[in-house]
Amino acid sequence: MTICGLDFGTSNSTIGVLQNNQQTMVPLEQDSDGHWHSTLPSALFFGFEADQISFGRDATNRYTNGEPGRLMRSMKSLLGSASMADTTQVKNRFYTYDEIVGFFVASLKQQAEKFLGENSPALESVVIGRPVYFNDTDAELDSTAEEHLAAIARLAGYKDVSFQFEPIAAAMDYEKNVTSEELALIVDIGGGTSDFTLIRLSPERHQQTDRQSDFLANHGIHLGGTDFDRHLSVTSIMPEFGMGMPMAARPELSMPGHYYFELATWHRIHLMYQRDVLLELNQLRLDLSNKAPIDKLLDLLKRKKGHHLAALVERAKIELSSCDATEVDLQSLFSDGSDLTINNCLLTQEQLHLSLKRDMNKIFRALDETLTQAGLQHKDIKTVFTTGGSTALPMVQNCIAEAFPNARKVAGDLYNSVGSGLLVEAIKRYQ
Ligand SMILES: Nc1ncnc2c1ncn2[C@@H]1O[C@H](COP(=O)(O)OP(=O)(O)OP(=O)(O)O)[C@@H](O)[C@H]1O
Ligand SMILES: [Mg+2]
């Protein structure tokens, strides 16, 4: 039986397999410099010219290079959302979101099987990671999301499908290097969710299959890096495109904000390209005395540059995790196929801080709730293990340092801890 651990992430996915009895993260994609990456960005591109679907970096590159087609990112955010049952039109076909997630999950499986070689049997048993909550307010949507993901995995060819919470998987990865018993707080802040586990770890416990008595608390919140992108975009970039502009006839009213929120939300950007949205915006344009910002918005939407804009904001956020200020290259959005011009925009760490303040408060309140569930106080925590791309934010690191001054901080692999721990779990369950 061939087993694997699958971390289907909002932003990045990984898959861990046993190769010659060694736990290995599958090299999933080679970039243009020839480097192999164990992460596949959770992106998919329907290319209209060759009628083919591409994945990962290849998908985003094709879109950025202007190839005709449709880019989709953050598909996981649809799982557990009210839009989960919707279909979406790509050229002249309608796809369910399950089908689209299915293409991606199947491509990960194929890539892993290719890596294992044609003499190796197909992957049959998988432990898939899941956030503590796909939906943190609606229990029914939450369990439906897991059912959908299980059905998608079976359709992709897996026979045994089971789940583990992502922060518990990260704990299993960390525990490989634990030398004596400890109580650890695991913090996984990714693209879509922030998840926490309080768990007792030790080398002896690592060998046991039933860990139920070691889990002190699991908790999470549906808030992560893609929300940070949205909030940074809405506060700092969208005003360039008319957000907040007063309407001429009734200055007490301003341009409706929901258009800008959609445009700044990775998995909803395509909704802004719809004909009726463009018609509504053209109608609103008539009521603005300064039409330049909305003209830029309309031009950007007609040329389907929404994902390009979101990628610029995400890049700025990442750059601000290691420098005080960065320039957002808005000019690149209008460099081809447009007569309009726009100035680049300077973003500072201070602006990022302000735009993420509320998110940080919510995340750290959820973290406090995790401790309350376990009946523990901050001072009881001896180790904080962090993983997930968003834990690279200095704001996150500073909040952790402040909340747990006496705990040892262990920075895990930002992208591979969950996938690697899911494989540990798969070995216990299926081997
Ligand atoms: N240096 C950085 N500073 C801030 N954010 C970063 C940095 N590097 C990556 N990120 C953010 O981390 C997120 C991706 O992290 P990760 O790959 O762990 O998420 P994921 O596992 O796909 O999501 P989830 O587990 O929530 O479904 C993105 O939002 C990305 O912008
Ligand atoms: Mg993750």
Side-chain angles (χ1 to χ4, degrees):
M1 189 187 295
T2 326
I3 62 177
C4 64
L6 168 63
D7 177 16
F8 169 51
T10 308
S11 306
N12 294 292
S13 295
T14 63
I15 184 160
V17 296
L18 275 180
Q19 190 196 33
N20 304 325
N21 243 10
Q22 291 287 315
Q23 298 180 25
T24 310
M25 297 309 290
V26 176
L28 287 169
E29 194 180 24
Q30 198 173 23
D31 64 21
S32 48
D33 297 330
H35 295 123
W36 279 94
H37 296 263
S38 60
T39 51
L40 186 70
S42 306
L44 179 147
F45 182 75
F46 289 92
F48 293 166
E49 274 172 355
D51 235 347
Q52 103 188 15
I53 306 176
S54 318
F55 303 95
R57 292 164 191 80
D58 184 26
T60 45
N61 288 342
R62 283 172 191 271
Y63 165 80
T64 313
N65 293 338
E67 216 179 288
R70 160 106 180 259
L71 180 71
M72 299 194 72
R73 278 190 55 176
S74 297
M75 288 95 71
K76 185 179 174 184
S77 301
L78 293 159
L79 290 170
S81 80
S83 319
M84 192 163 46
D86 292 354
T87 57
T88 187
Q89 186 173 7
V90 181
K91 251 178 139 180
N92 46 9
R93 249 205 81 174
F94 283 88
Y95 293 94
T96 62
Y97 284 118
D98 280 8
E99 273 179 288
I100 292 170
V101 173
F103 293 139
F104 189 78
V105 168
S107 100
L108 285 166
K109 186 170 186 284
Q110 275 163 18
Q111 193 57 32
E113 286 168 351
K114 194 166 146 201
F115 169 74
L116 288 168
E118 52 190 36
N119 294 329
S120 179
L123 291 170
E124 281 194 343
S125 306
V126 63
V127 177
I128 306 178
R130 57 153 294 168
V132 176
Y133 301 111
F134 279 107
N135 186 314
D136 40 23
T137 51
D138 186 323
E140 199 176 320
L141 279 176
D142 182 69
S143 61
T144 316
E146 187 179 294
E147 285 160 21
H148 277 238
L149 195 49
I152 287 165
R154 288 205 181 86
L155 212 61
Y158 291 108
K159 295 201 167 72
D160 305 303
V161 178
S162 59
F163 290 87
Q164 178 55 285
F165 287 142
E166 287 156 8
I168 293 186
M172 296 300 113
D173 178 50
Y174 166 56
E175 198 178 37
K176 288 181 201 163
N177 300 315
V178 163
T179 50
S180 59
E181 174 150 335
E182 62 177 65
L183 175 65
L185 170 67
I186 312 294
V187 176
D188 173 12
I189 307 184
T193 57
S194 300
D195 293 283
F196 316 109
T197 282
L198 264 167
I199 184 168
R200 245 181 261 290
L201 303 172
S202 77
E204 295 72 33
R205 289 169 198 269
H206 193 62
Q207 307 307 324
Q208 290 163 12
T209 318
D210 183 7
R211 300 293 301 269
Q212 216 51 45
S213 60
D214 296 336
F215 307 141
L216 279 74
N218 290 309
H219 194 44
I221 179 169
H222 213 287
L223 195 59
T226 52
D227 301 289
F228 305 162
D229 298 345
R230 177 171 62 246
H231 296 150
L232 179 61
S233 182
V234 162
T235 53
S236 307
I237 303 291
M238 290 302 170
E240 305 288 329
F241 296 94
M243 182 159 178
M245 279 191 73
M247 311 302 290
R250 295 181 61 188
E252 73 278 14
L253 295 182
S254 55
M255 271 296 286
H258 68 89
Y259 296 112
Y260 299 95
F261 276 89
E262 299 275 64
L263 185 58
T265 304
W266 279 108
H267 61 284
R268 299 187 64 83
I269 293 170
H270 65 282
L271 299 172
M272 287 294 290
Y273 302 148
Q274 290 174 353
R275 218 172 134 254
D276 50 346
V277 172
L278 296 176
L279 288 173
E280 285 165 28
L281 287 170
N282 270 303
Q283 202 59 40
L284 286 162
R285 177 185 181 277
L286 301 175
D287 222 1
L288 291 169
S289 41
N290 175 7
K291 301 198 190 317
I294 193 152
D295 283 343
K296 287 172 196 158
L297 174 67
L298 283 162
D299 187 71
L300 177 111
L301 294 176
K302 277 184 214 138
R303 292 178 300 109
K304 298 191 167 58
K305 292 282 185 184
H307 286 88
H308 189 153
L309 174 59
L312 290 175
V313 176
E314 181 183 20
R315 189 186 310 155
K317 173 193 73 175
I318 291 174
E319 282 172 7
L320 289 174
S321 74
S322 55
C323 65
D324 291 336
T326 188
E327 194 173 75
V328 186
D329 185 10
L330 295 180
Q331 284 170 354
S332 66
L333 295 167
F334 293 89
S335 59
D336 57 15
S338 172
D339 299 329
L340 301 182
T341 55
I342 193 165
N343 290 329
N344 285 346
C345 177
L346 191 76
L347 286 188
T348 62
Q349 227 182 59
E350 178 67 19
Q351 279 169 292
L352 180 68
H353 272 220
L354 285 174
S355 66
L356 302 194
K357 214 167 175 222
R358 281 185 60 191
D359 291 340
M360 288 302 139
N361 286 340
K362 285 187 190 165
I363 288 172
F364 281 82
R365 267 205 306 275
L367 207 156
D368 289 347
E369 171 63 19
T370 318
L371 296 182
T372 309
Q373 277 182 19
L376 291 172
Q377 296 182 351
H378 291 71
K379 64 175 172 40
D380 301 323
I381 307 301
K382 296 290 174 272
T383 305
V384 181
F385 175 80
T386 53
T387 184
S390 297
T391 59
L393 274 174
M395 264 184 107
V396 170
Q397 292 296 337
N398 293 341
C399 288
I400 289 176
E402 211 173 287
F404 303 97
N406 304 323
R408 197 167 62 96
K409 317 294 181 307
V410 182
D413 184 313
L414 291 183
Y415 303 109
N416 287 293
S417 274
V418 171
S420 163
L422 289 168
L423 176 61
V424 170
E425 199 67 41
I427 293 168
K428 283 188 188 166
R429 291 184 192 177
Y430 299 124
Q431 208 182 30

